[in-house]
Amino acid sequence: MMKNITIITLLALLLNTFCYGQNTYSYSQPKELDDEWKTNNLQSQKVDTTRIHQLFSQLHNGKNKLHSVLLVKNNQLIIEEYFNKNTAEKPHDLRSTTKSIRSLLMGIAINKGFIANINDPISKYLKVPVPTKNIDDRKEKITIKHLLTMSSGLECNDWDRKSKGQEDKVYRKKDWLQYTLNLPMANEPGTVSNYCSMGAVLIAEIIHQASGITIDKFADQYLFNQLGITNVSWGHTSDKEVISSGKRLYMTSRDMAKIGQLILNKGKWNEKQIVSEKWIEESTTPKTKITGIDYGYLWWNIPFKVNDKIIISKTATGNGGQYIMIIPKMGMVAVFTGGAYNSQEDKLPFAIMNDIFIPTFITKNINQN
């Protein structure tokens, strides 16, 4: 999640302080595995790698809550580092990064004809349950687009513990869907965006009911199998039985990087169009703001400022430090996983991007605004 992103400044200062220690890091080119990834040596990029060596020397010799750091440049995996007993084969709980992948699945559902238009009311596809409390005509106006932009108008704000739809409160309920649809309306649909995890759960349920395929099977058939992703599962930390639409993804870091590369390549993987270019552009372009940060269809637009240039990343985020960051103008994808749950330490990857990766690979002729 992107709450309190201003921590970047503090962590950047800390990173600058502790990175310039003893350089004991020994770089190794990522291995070529049977997963369709092409790898290359960092030296092939013809850049000054001093900062990168200093960074990983510190990370491998110091204490941190990172689990992995991967970097893809020009369609090739060039950095792959694991920490705290994590490995390339170990799937990771993506937390809210799952939301951005649900956005891709919605685009596919539209392309396949299961859903006609994101401006359709959710009631057109979500047949059960239906609201039984707090009946309000405004609920009939809630569209799929409103869910994608977190602007349903329902009283649902994960970053406000007083909110009736705050995710931890919902997790304690027997029927998440019914409880969410029964929430009172706080705003006119489409007017105010608040971070609402239950809206993303409704997205998954709409895909399920419209296609007749549970979200996990839908994802396998139309996305993961196309990307060669097989070491993947869906789960949740709740002790209660969770419906498929409410579960989160568990995926390896290399497969997370495939999702990033899919965005970078405008919906293509190995020259095969898996998600329409139109949907990639539409879903990652800002439509609203949440806590002042540009937001598309379950994708963030996070700005970095390097050498007086504003560099925009298309970013999926998850609690604990799960990130897929795509920088189109640099042909770059970065993946981070971590265990800094509910901690400001989960913002460390932003400092790594801002102070290490982007300055290392930025070119003088890059032009972003």
Side-chain angles (χ1 to χ4, degrees), residues 13 82 101 106 112 114 117 120 134 143 196 242 261 266:
L13 292 173
Y82 295 93
I101 296 175
M106 175 56 72
K112 298 295 181 183
F114 295 117
N117 196 299
D120 286 341
N134 296 307
T143 67
C196 174
V242 178
Q261 195 65 34
K266 300 179 180 180

Side-chain angles (χ1 to χ4, degrees), residues 14-185:
L14 291 174
L15 195 59
N16 283 334
T17 299
F18 69 58
C19 273
Y20 296 95
Q22 185 180 4
N23 188 357
T24 59
Y25 169 65
S26 179
Y27 168 80
S28 295
Q29 178 177 329
K31 294 180 180 179
E32 294 259 351
L33 304 176
D34 187 23
D35 64 357
E36 301 181 30
W37 267 118
K38 296 179 180 178
T39 72
N40 206 339
N41 195 283
L42 181 59
Q43 301 303 322
S44 68
Q45 302 300 310
K46 295 181 171 54
V47 295
D48 182 352
T49 60
T50 302
R51 295 188 190 198
I52 292 174
H53 279 76
Q54 290 169 335
L55 167 68
F56 288 117
S57 176
Q58 173 62 31
L59 291 177
H60 280 295
N61 289 289
K63 292 183 179 181
N64 61 73
K65 295 181 180 179
L66 288 171
H67 289 173
S68 70
V69 178
L70 278 66
L71 191 71
V72 178
K73 192 78 168 64
N74 302 324
N75 299 308
Q76 296 176 322
L77 183 61
I78 60 172
I79 293 175
E80 183 178 20
E81 299 290 336
Y82 295 93
F83 308 89
N84 299 306
K85 299 181 180 180
N86 287 273
T87 65
E89 297 78 23
K90 184 178 179 180
H92 204 279
D93 181 357
L94 267 57
R95 298 294 174 109
S96 287
T97 298
T98 302
K99 291 181 174 70
S100 300
I101 296 175
R102 286 191 180 113
S103 175
L104 292 175
L105 297 176
M106 175 56 72
I108 292 172
I110 293 170
N111 295 340
K112 298 295 181 183
F114 295 117
I115 291 170
N117 196 299
I118 60 169
N119 293 310
D120 286 341
I122 63 174
S123 58
K124 180 177 178 180
Y125 305 98
L126 195 61
K127 300 302 183 182
V128 289
V130 297
T132 57
K133 297 180 180 178
N134 296 307
I135 304 302
D136 191 313
D137 289 343
R138 290 176 293 180
K139 290 187 178 183
E140 294 300 317
K141 300 178 182 178
I142 300 173
T143 67
I144 293 172
K145 183 176 180 178
H146 293 145
L147 296 182
L148 290 167
T149 55
M150 303 277 189
S151 61
S152 69
L154 292 168
E155 190 189 327
C156 179
N157 186 348
D158 292 347
W159 298 343
D160 179 1
R161 293 200 172 276
K162 296 180 180 179
S163 173
K164 294 181 179 179
Q166 198 268 345
E167 59 179 331
D168 293 330
K169 291 181 181 178
V170 182
Y171 294 156
R172 294 192 288 267
K173 305 300 179 180
K174 182 178 180 180
D175 188 332
W176 296 1
L177 298 177
Q178 186 69 72
Y179 180 82
T180 299
L181 292 172
N182 282 346
L183 288 170
M185 294 294 291

Side-chain angles (χ1 to χ4, degrees), residues 60-341:
H60 280 295
N61 289 289
K63 292 183 179 181
N64 61 73
K65 295 181 180 179
L66 288 171
H67 289 173
S68 70
V69 178
L70 278 66
L71 191 71
V72 178
K73 192 78 168 64
N74 302 324
N75 299 308
Q76 296 176 322
L77 183 61
I78 60 172
I79 293 175
E80 183 178 20
E81 299 290 336
Y82 295 93
F83 308 89
N84 299 306
K85 299 181 180 180
N86 287 273
T87 65
E89 297 78 23
K90 184 178 179 180
H92 204 279
D93 181 357
L94 267 57
R95 298 294 174 109
S96 287
T97 298
T98 302
K99 291 181 174 70
S100 300
I101 296 175
R102 286 191 180 113
S103 175
L104 292 175
L105 297 176
M106 175 56 72
I108 292 172
I110 293 170
N111 295 340
K112 298 295 181 183
F114 295 117
I115 291 170
N117 196 299
I118 60 169
N119 293 310
D120 286 341
I122 63 174
S123 58
K124 180 177 178 180
Y125 305 98
L126 195 61
K127 300 302 183 182
V128 289
V130 297
T132 57
K133 297 180 180 178
N134 296 307
I135 304 302
D136 191 313
D137 289 343
R138 290 176 293 180
K139 290 187 178 183
E140 294 300 317
K141 300 178 182 178
I142 300 173
T143 67
I144 293 172
K145 183 176 180 178
H146 293 145
L147 296 182
L148 290 167
T149 55
M150 303 277 189
S151 61
S152 69
L154 292 168
E155 190 189 327
C156 179
N157 186 348
D158 292 347
W159 298 343
D160 179 1
R161 293 200 172 276
K162 296 180 180 179
S163 173
K164 294 181 179 179
Q166 198 268 345
E167 59 179 331
D168 293 330
K169 291 181 181 178
V170 182
Y171 294 156
R172 294 192 288 267
K173 305 300 179 180
K174 182 178 180 180
D175 188 332
W176 296 1
L177 298 177
Q178 186 69 72
Y179 180 82
T180 299
L181 292 172
N182 282 346
L183 288 170
M185 294 294 291
N187 300 289
E188 185 73 19
T191 59
V192 178
S193 292
N194 289 314
Y195 196 85
C196 174
S197 290
M198 288 306 115
V201 172
L202 291 178
I203 285 290
E205 184 62 23
I206 286 169
I207 294 172
H208 171 197
Q209 294 195 22
S211 67
I213 309 171
T214 56
I215 195 68
D216 53 340
K217 300 294 192 300
F218 187 95
D220 283 343
Q221 181 175 344
Y222 293 111
L223 182 60
F224 298 151
N225 291 346
Q226 312 300 317
L227 294 171
I229 294 175
T230 57
N231 186 11
V232 63
S233 62
W234 297 74
H236 204 280
T237 48
S238 174
D239 294 332
K240 299 179 182 293
E241 184 176 348
V242 178
I243 59 172
S244 61
S245 297
K247 293 179 180 179
R248 304 188 297 253
L249 276 165
Y250 289 71
M251 184 182 291
T252 69
S253 301
R254 287 174 76 116
D255 287 340
M256 290 170 67
K258 288 184 178 182
I259 299 296
Q261 195 65 34
L262 187 71
I263 298 294
L264 184 63
N265 290 344
K266 300 179 180 180
K268 286 185 177 181
W269 175 256
N270 287 341
E271 301 305 316
K272 181 179 180 181
Q273 197 77 45
I274 297 172
V275 185
S276 75
E277 180 175 344
K278 179 182 178 182
W279 181 260
I280 297 296
E281 176 67 23
E282 184 177 352
S283 62
T284 61
T285 298
K287 300 294 188 297
T288 186
K289 288 181 183 291
I290 300 179
T291 61
I293 302 173
D294 285 335
Y295 198 71
Y297 296 160
L298 306 181
W299 283 92
W300 297 92
N301 275 226
I302 309 297
F304 293 94
K305 187 175 183 180
V306 179
N307 299 338
D308 295 322
K309 298 180 186 294
I310 301 298
I311 312 296
I312 301 297
S313 68
K314 311 293 184 179
T315 299
T317 77
N319 187 2
Q322 330 317 321
Y323 301 105
I324 304 173
M325 302 183 189
I326 305 103
I327 303 184
K329 289 290 181 71
M330 295 181 67
M332 190 161 78
V333 175
V335 165
F336 300 88
T337 59
Y341 301 109

